Amino acid sequence: MTTTLFISPGACAMASHVALLEAGAPHETTVVDLKKGEQRTPEYLSVNPAGSTPALRTDRGVITQNAAILGWVAETFRERDLAPVDDPFEYARFNAFNGWLSSSLHPALGKVLFSRPALEGEARAHAVEFALGKLDLAEQHLVEGPWVFGETWTLSDGYLMVFERWARQAGLLDKARYPKLNAHLDLVQSRDAVKKMLTVEGLQPV
Ligand SMILES: N[C@@H](CCC(=O)N[C@@H](CS)C(=O)NCC(=O)O)C(=O)O
């Protein structure tokens, strides 16, 4: 089965893109240019009525949400050891972390980076502090190091990388305040699947 992943280069769909590459899953990518508003064309809305990327078209229909796509990839390609799918407790922790990225870290950083019109003054300062607080939580409590779940790499590492890249590009990933997250980003970007994803999306390591 070949799937089609709808991506926007550099956006959060990088997490699902890395997952397919780590799995060795046969797939194609289709670019949805968010700057041109292609996520709101009738053609794309027929794929994902929510008008956001990623979306993964499979032979059974479309899956949206990075967290769900990561779970689907991990379960479909079990033999690749992409997540602790055979241990209900550890798998719940994997899903909890991905849910936190989706519902907490992503919106907090997204507000700083993508608010239109751009935030200014006190509003921006407040949004930055809020986002830094989320990164503090990851640094101090959620990420074990060197990978999110200690010695074992999982698909959560590719998902966290998205937000570490955004934070570093925005000058928010201070090396002294976030040593673990900085080391994690460098480690993730050295993986072959991640290098391939960056090449396909026309990006560079940051
Ligand atoms: N929680 C969703 C977030 C999806 C999302 O917000 N994607 C952004 C790109 S990072 C998007 O497509 N935005 C387009 C828009 O809001 O118009 C997921 O992880 O899949």
Side-chain angles (χ1 to χ4, degrees), residues 82-105:
L82 306 166
V85 291
D86 293 323
D87 181 331
F89 180 78
E90 291 301 334
Y91 196 42
R93 292 182 68 227
F94 168 81
N95 285 315
F97 184 79
N98 297 340
W100 178 79
L101 292 178
S102 173
S103 65
S104 197
L105 184 58

Side-chain angles (χ1 to χ4, degrees), residues 8 11-12 34 39-40 51-54 65-67 102 106 159 166:
S8 312
C12 63
L34 300 181
Q39 71 277 32
R40 291 186 291 274
S52 61
T53 56
Q65 296 290 331
N66 278 297
S102 173
H106 184 168
Y159 196 2
W166 291 1

Side-chain angles (χ1 to χ4, degrees), residues 3 13 18 22 35 38 55 61 71 80 96-97 124 168 170 172 187 190 198 201:
T3 58
V18 167
E22 293 277 6
K35 290 203 180 94
E38 286 177 359
R80 300 299 287 245
F97 184 79
R124 180 178 158 79
R168 187 178 277 177
L172 299 177
L187 201 55
S190 72
L198 293 174
E201 298 204 7

Side-chain angles (χ1 to χ4, degrees), residues 34-35 109-120 124:
L34 300 181
K35 290 203 180 94
L109 276 173
K111 187 166 180 183
V112 176
L113 301 175
F114 307 125
S115 288
R116 294 293 175 267
L119 297 181
E120 290 176 8
R124 180 178 158 79

